[in-house]
Amino acid sequence: EEPAVAVDEVQDSAETVIATVVAIVAGLIVIVIALGFRRKREAERVVAREKAAAAKRKAPPPGAVARADLSAVEKLARTAGADPDAFLAGLATTEVLGRLASPLSPAAAAAVRKALAGKAELPPEGDGAAAVAAALVHTHLRRGELPARLWPKRDADEAEAAVEAVAEAAVKLTRHGFEAACKGGSPEAARCLLQLLACLRLQRPAWDHEPSRRASEEALADAGLPLPRLAASASAASWMGGAGGAVSAGSVAMLKVRLSRAHAKEAAAAAKRGATSFAGKWSTANGRAPVRVCESYTCLVSRRGGPAGAEAMVGFLEADVLDPAAPTAEAELKIVAPLEAGEYELRVQALSLAVLGVEASASASLVVTPAPIDDADDLDDY
């Protein structure tokens, strides 16, 4: 029976070897499969990271304004430019303001809506991002009227950053709306949007808000600067010169605006004490090195008269004061004369974007004669 026992032992050893080999092979297969899945997951993560990086590269910066938003603001300037509340409500619906307002937490949004109750007209909460953006714009405008501790403590830093970002974008969009209104739009819309732009820059709720005007005057006094006192005058003539200042239909005319500064001596005295500017602007006029602008005024130019008799915007110009002691500030604007002959009135409104309530107005006559007929060209027709 000993040989039988040996055979059994051999068989058991063979089965053990086979089982061991099978186990090893199975283990290797499992390892290979696991490594395959791991490599697949790593490859998927790499692809996801690359896609995210590509999307980030293609995505506009947080405050970038899309062409669609600019087009919407241009339309808004035409339809609601003369109503600051309606314009701000429309501004809040732009994609860029909604995106910049999105980080605000629900608790912070509720806190600011509560603080603004009775002070500003806000869209209903159901309007989502637009409602939050509108609240942040009004927070910026009315910051002096709101509590110092406006936000929940945990949301304060994020909320302040959102207000700053939304306000910066609102200034850009309002400026774009103002420039759109100056291209043949209504003088009322252009004036309203320019005043709104000043309020956004100065964090004041309204141009005709008396406390805001007093605050502007107090800020000047604290800086040792006098309140500007302006008088405006204007004249128009052919750019190429001509008898009596008449302009041929369709030709180029030159409008000259002069702002007289009754406060020039006070400004010069302030400059000697070191107070020289409130404009926050630099000029490179006439190819010179940058010079700090002491005062700057935006002059709206509209035209009225002719067969239609309606008033429409022609454009705008900037009158800068580089010398505090200068008695006047002058600026020029080239315009194209109407195609219809007749007498027109050019109206100029000068406003400060740095001090609420500072403004002056003037007008100039523009006589347009029929365009001359070129006899030589007429003879060529025969």
Side-chain angles (χ1 to χ4, degrees):
E1 296 181 356
E2 289 182 2
V5 173
V7 171
D8 290 341
E9 289 179 353
V10 170
Q11 289 178 345
D12 290 342
S13 299
E15 290 176 356
T16 301
V17 170
I18 293 172
T20 302
V21 171
V22 169
I24 292 173
V25 171
L28 291 174
I29 292 173
V30 170
I31 291 172
V32 169
I33 293 174
L35 289 173
F37 277 117
R38 182 177 179 181
R39 289 180 178 177
K40 182 180 178 181
R41 286 196 298 271
E42 289 178 353
E44 289 174 347
R45 283 196 290 267
V46 169
V47 171
R49 284 196 298 269
E50 290 177 351
K51 287 183 177 180
K56 188 176 181 180
R57 287 192 298 269
K58 293 180 180 179
V65 180
R67 179 64 239 180
D69 281 347
L70 295 178
S71 298
V73 169
E74 291 167 8
K75 181 178 179 181
L76 192 62
R78 294 192 299 269
T79 59
D83 184 344
D85 290 330
F87 183 83
L88 285 176
L91 209 63
T93 64
T94 57
E95 187 274 338
V96 61
L97 259 63
R99 172 163 31 91
L100 294 173
S102 60
L104 199 69
S105 69
V112 73
R113 288 186 69 88
K114 181 179 179 181
L116 288 169
K119 294 182 174 65
E121 293 185 13
L122 299 177
E125 292 185 63
D127 286 1
V132 177
L136 294 183
V137 171
H138 283 285
T139 299
H140 173 76
L141 287 170
R142 299 180 177 275
R143 199 50 189 268
E145 304 174 6
L146 302 178
R149 295 184 62 182
L150 180 60
W151 320 99
K153 188 175 181 179
R154 64 179 179 278
D155 300 323
D157 292 342
E158 190 176 64
E160 291 294 346
V163 171
E164 184 176 347
V166 166
E168 183 178 348
V171 168
K172 292 180 182 178
L173 292 174
T174 303
R175 177 75 188 191
H176 186 76
F178 162 69
E179 292 177 354
C182 287
K183 297 176 181 178
S186 74
E188 294 79 9
R191 178 183 173 86
C192 175
L193 292 177
L194 185 62
Q195 292 174 343
L196 178 59
L197 182 61
C199 292
L200 285 167
R201 288 181 172 181
L202 298 173
Q203 286 190 274
R204 307 296 182 191
W207 177 268
D208 56 358
H209 187 237
E210 192 57 36
S212 294
R213 291 195 176 190
R214 288 198 300 271
S216 290
E217 295 175 10
E218 291 170 1
L220 282 179
D222 292 342
L225 294 166
L227 179 68
R229 301 189 302 281
L230 302 178
S233 61
S235 62
S238 172
W239 178 49
M240 300 300 292
V247 181
S248 298
S251 66
V252 178
M254 178 69 77
L255 173 68
K256 296 184 178 181
V257 177
R258 171 177 290 183
L259 300 180
S260 298
R261 303 173 63 239
H263 60 289
K265 291 183 179 180
E266 299 167 56
K272 291 181 179 179
R273 299 191 299 269
T276 58
S277 175
F278 60 76
K281 180 181 176 182
W282 293 80
S283 172
T284 55
N286 301 323
R288 292 174 294 191
V291 177
R292 189 169 182 83
V293 175
C294 303
E295 300 170 17
S296 182
Y297 302 97
T298 302
C299 303
L300 307 177
V301 181
S302 60
R303 184 183 65 223
R304 183 168 185 168
E311 185 176 4
M313 285 297 299
V314 174
F316 70 97
L317 53 89
E318 305 282 348
D320 293 336
V321 179
L322 304 182
D323 179 3
T328 62
E330 298 180 357
E332 298 177 342
L333 178 67
K334 291 179 182 178
I335 61 175
V336 177
L339 297 177
E340 296 286 343
E343 186 171 352
Y344 296 81
E345 179 188 11
L346 296 177
R347 296 182 173 182
V348 178
Q349 299 180 75
L351 296 86
S352 170
L353 295 184
V355 186
L356 293 188
V358 173
E359 53 187 308
S361 60
S363 63
S365 176
L366 179 67
V367 178
V368 179
T369 59
I373 299 175
D374 192 330
D375 294 335
D377 287 346
D378 290 344
L379 290 174
D380 289 343
D381 294 336
Y382 294 95

